[in-house]
């Protein structure tokens, strides 16, 4: 399976955002991970549609939108219009996750579903056929720069087995606390879409990105 790096712009320097995004693109990152927080599903507030619209035109990277938002179905259409290529919603945030995934597909966009560290992996079972991507949070959603929760590795393995048993070759994305030092473990466990905020945007962005890409390629 192709391994993909999805740098989270939550950790970027917003006064030079365009410049920094370009460095990740030149370094080989195929996605931009876009963390939307509503101050209700998670305690913090980040950014939304206007920021997405303005970066959409500047890069050919895939816009990977992670909605940490209560009842995200309310915003699916608008994020699709603003340029989202993938919209991931939280299982815990949706009254009707299946209808929400349908609404995403109805906008012609790929649909992802995510679980927080405390939610059993089995919660994803009803959506294995329907969703295009599964996002395992390896920190509590809400803030960048937290430490990777080690139990996440077992959760990734469990999900990969569930998909393989059904002969489904789908993307498993992992988000939170991933750096050069631990990304190999995450890939070996069965993930193939790697989100990193601090690991890309803190320090030398180009070197951080190419460093990740070397490891990702080695595990394909
Ligand atoms: C957390 C966000 C993450 C976060 C990852 O709620 O979903 O995408 O930005 O940041 P790092 O890599 O710094 O843990
Ligand atoms: Zn995220």
């Amino acid at each position: 399976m192709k391994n993909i790096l999805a740098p989270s712009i939550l950790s970027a320097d917003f006064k030079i955002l365009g410049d920094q995004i370009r460095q990740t693109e030149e370094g080989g990152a195929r996605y931009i991970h876009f963390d939307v927080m509503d101050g209700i599903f998670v305690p913090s507030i980040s950014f939304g549609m206007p920021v997405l619209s303005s970066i959409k035109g500047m890069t050919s990277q895939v816009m990977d939108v992670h909605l940490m938002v209560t009842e995200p179905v309310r915003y699916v259409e608008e994020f699709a219009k603003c340029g989202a290529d993938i919209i991931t919603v939280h299982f815990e945030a949706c009254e009707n996750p299946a209808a929400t995934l349908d609404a995403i597909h109805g906008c012609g966009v790929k649909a992802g579903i995510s679980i927080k560290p405390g939610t059993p992996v089995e919660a994803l079972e009803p959506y294995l056929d329907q969703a295009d991507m599964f996002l395992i949070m390896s920190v509590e959603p809400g803030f960048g720069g937290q430490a990777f929760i080690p139990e996440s590795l077992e959760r990734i393995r469990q999900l990969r087995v569930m998909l393989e048993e059904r002969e489904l070759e789908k993307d498993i994305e992992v988000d939170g606390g991933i750096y050069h030092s631990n990304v190999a473990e995450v890939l070996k466990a069965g993930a193939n879409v790697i989100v990193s905020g601090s690991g890309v945007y803190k320090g030398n962005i180009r070197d951080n990105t190419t460093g990740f890409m070397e490891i990702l390629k080695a595990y394909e």
Side-chain angles (χ1 to χ4, degrees):
M1 250 184 138
K2 262 238 154 308
N3 291 330
I4 294 162
L5 182 64
S8 166
I9 60 166
L10 192 61
S11 303
D13 180 348
F14 282 83
K15 63 185 178 299
I16 46 168
L17 181 61
D19 233 47
Q20 296 204 333
I21 286 175
R22 198 152 287 125
Q23 292 183 50
T24 70
E25 185 171 31
E26 287 166 4
R30 286 174 53 203
Y31 285 11
I32 291 179
H33 188 77
F34 193 87
D35 282 309
V36 182
M37 302 180 183
D38 68 350
I40 298 172
F41 182 67
V42 291
S44 192
I45 294 177
S46 59
F47 40 71
M49 295 91 171
V51 181
L52 180 61
S53 310
S54 69
I55 60 178
K56 173 70 180 177
M58 65 151 288
T59 169
S60 57
Q61 287 161 300
V62 169
M63 295 297 158
D64 173 30
V65 175
H66 176 194
L67 295 182
M68 286 163 275
V69 171
T70 298
E71 277 306 331
V73 70
R74 297 176 294 148
Y75 296 108
V76 159
E77 205 179 319
E78 229 174 315
F79 275 103
K81 275 193 196 135
C82 289
D85 299 297
I86 307 170
I87 297 178
T88 296
V89 294
H90 270 267
F91 166 78
E92 305 88 353
C94 299
E95 205 175 297
N96 187 338
T100 308
L101 296 174
D102 270 348
I104 299 171
H105 282 145
C107 296
V109 169
K110 283 192 177 175
I113 184 160
S114 179
I115 49 172
K116 299 202 281 184
T119 302
V121 179
E122 289 77 12
L124 294 174
E125 185 136 27
Y127 315 103
L128 293 181
D129 277 309
Q130 192 185 8
D132 303 294
M133 185 168 82
F134 303 90
L135 169 54
I136 301 271
M137 288 304 300
S138 44
V139 298
E140 282 301 332
F143 302 96
Q146 303 179 72
F148 184 87
I149 299 172
E151 288 76 20
S152 310
L153 294 174
E154 192 45 46
R155 292 161 58 75
I156 300 163
R157 279 192 278 271
Q158 192 188 338
L159 176 58
R160 186 52 82 196
V161 169
M162 282 163 60
L163 288 167
E164 278 170 0
E165 280 170 357
R166 290 161 184 79
E167 294 181 1
L168 294 168
E169 202 180 288
K170 296 203 180 186
D171 292 328
I172 298 181
E173 182 173 54
V174 183
D175 184 356
I178 305 180
Y179 296 87
H180 292 173
S181 55
N182 61 355
V183 65
E185 294 306 308
V186 177
L187 296 164
K188 278 193 267 179
N192 70 304
V193 182
I194 302 298
V195 178
S196 180
S198 312
V200 169
Y201 280 106
K202 303 295 174 207
N204 185 316
I205 297 170
R206 201 177 306 253
D207 290 352
N208 290 341
T209 306
T210 53
F212 265 117
M213 290 313 299
E214 274 169 29
I215 307 170
L216 264 60
K217 289 210 174 92
Y219 282 89
E220 268 174 1

